[in-house]
Amino acid sequence: MPPFDVPEGDPFGPHNLPYGVFSLPGSSHRTVGVRLGDHVLDAGAAAHALGSPYASLLARPSLNPLLAAGRTAWSDVRRALTAWVTVPSHRETVEPLFHPLSDVTLHLPFEVADYVDFYASENHARNVGQIFRPDAEDSLTPNWKHLPIGYHGRSGTVVVSGTDVVRPSGQRKAPTDAAPVFGPSVRLDIEAEVGFVVGVPSRMGEPVALADFREHVFGLCLLNDWSARDIQAWEYVPLGPFLGKSFATSVSAWITPLDALEESRVAPPARTHELLPYLDDTDEEPGGYDLRISVAVNGHLVSEPPFATMYWTAAQQLAHMTVNGASLRTGDLYGSGTVSGPADRERGSLLELTWNGRDPLELPDGKRTFLEDGDVVTLSAWAPGPDGVRVGLGEVTGRVVGG
Ligand code: CA
């Protein structure tokens, strides 16, 4: 079907228009593409063909120039793209510049600067607390309701959807073991998350206020924070996650601009504690996003984590991340933290879904506690869009291969 005739109601219709970077078979030339249905528009070529001033932002091998251009440019480019793919008079010029998705190679769409990962789901934090600190009086740590907990991760190992993930090796030691052993992780897990992509930088010493979130953050994508639970458990006290996380983080090939998600904005859960002024979003616009995530292992649906249940918003995370004066760079990526809802089948990790291996999942190809070599994990999601139409998020998938 020609790309202009994308069916009404398609989650990747002209109301969505996520950005990626693609190349054609036999070519090393990478350039910005915009998805429409099951096609990719060569956005830079379209800009050239139509004499648009945005060619300098779009005929590029990464999204970084567009990310750095700022909110006014983001809105203008999106408005132009919407016209290019919907106004009938452009059809003759633009239609030849589409490629079927199945014909292109999708690449990591931006140069990842710094990478931070948060821990913003109360259900996830409580589940983890109950699993690892069953005797604690409160399953949340004392700081949890006062600040969005996070750590700095490894940006160089962020990979695009479709990249194989090699099972990491490392030290592990169960509490009952006399000494640590070294070998491939036997508790390889996933974490279903949403990643936020920073466009506009900030200066050192100048915190970013809650209200300025949309001036700095361009868009979001699904993110899988692969986690080796056995390596993590032995190494994380007292400085937090390190080699149990840094071997790979997968992101979608498609970055959905925040402007495509206006209808999916929701208020976060009611706050149970008074927040310090820099985090107090009582009088701010709704900071949550109603994203309905699905987690599949080898094509079998195992969980549907609801992003709307996240306690801390992306705006609060950005404000907290910069409140000490740390600066932002174009291409900074921060993960929301594992998304887990209140119900059993809304949990975003195998750690929680199997309760640390106690309750294996029944899959068509056998029981699963943690991941086995050859397993393919796929995150997908949609959000409510204009007039009841869904906004599809690009999936993030990865296959585990033996280390
Ligand atoms: Ca995580």
Side-chain angles (χ1 to χ4, degrees), residues 34-180:
V34 171
R35 179 168 173 181
L36 181 68
D38 53 6
H39 284 74
V40 183
L41 173 68
D42 183 332
H48 275 302
L50 293 166
S52 159
Y54 304 120
S56 61
L57 296 178
L58 297 172
R60 303 295 281 263
S62 105
L63 293 179
N64 282 53
L66 176 63
L67 296 179
R71 170 138 298 284
T72 302
W74 303 339
S75 300
D76 290 349
V77 170
R78 180 170 167 79
R79 203 174 302 118
L81 279 162
T82 304
W84 300 347
V85 303
T86 56
V87 175
S89 60
H90 292 322
R91 183 169 187 150
E92 197 178 333
T93 307
V94 173
E95 199 142 74
L97 304 174
F98 278 97
H99 304 278
L101 257 181
S102 52
D103 282 1
V104 306
T105 302
L106 296 169
H107 303 277
L108 189 63
F110 62 103
E111 294 148 36
V112 183
D114 288 299
Y115 168 51
V116 165
D117 196 26
F118 284 96
Y119 191 56
S121 158
E122 181 171 356
N123 296 295
H124 173 70
R126 287 196 181 280
N127 288 339
V128 171
Q130 285 167 30
I131 290 169
F132 289 120
R133 299 185 304 278
D135 301 325
E137 198 171 302
D138 189 344
S139 54
L140 293 182
T141 52
N143 55 0
W144 203 91
K145 286 288 179 85
H146 298 279
L147 55 84
I149 295 174
Y151 67 95
H152 282 92
R154 192 167 191 85
S155 55
T157 51
V158 175
V159 296
V160 71
S161 174
T163 306
D164 284 350
V165 172
V166 177
R167 181 179 297 274
S169 286
Q171 285 197 26
R172 62 176 181 271
K173 179 190 169 303
T176 51
D177 293 343

Side-chain angles (χ1 to χ4, degrees), residues 117-118 151 191 193 225 245 337-338:
D117 196 26
F118 284 96
Y151 67 95
E191 291 189 339
E193 304 196 18
D225 175 24
K245 300 273 194 179
T338 309

Side-chain angles (χ1 to χ4, degrees), residues 235-286:
E235 74 176 3
Y236 88 104
V237 177
L239 288 186
F242 189 36
L243 303 182
K245 300 273 194 179
S246 64
F247 55 95
T249 305
S250 299
V251 293
S252 171
W254 298 106
I255 308 301
T256 305
L258 295 184
D259 285 343
L261 295 165
E262 277 301 296
E263 285 80 4
S264 74
R265 294 170 75 178
V266 289
R271 275 63 174 88
T272 56
H273 292 57
E274 192 174 335
L275 295 173
L276 288 166
Y278 79 94
L279 291 173
D280 186 352
D281 60 358
T282 312
D283 298 325
E284 300 294 331
E285 293 182 335

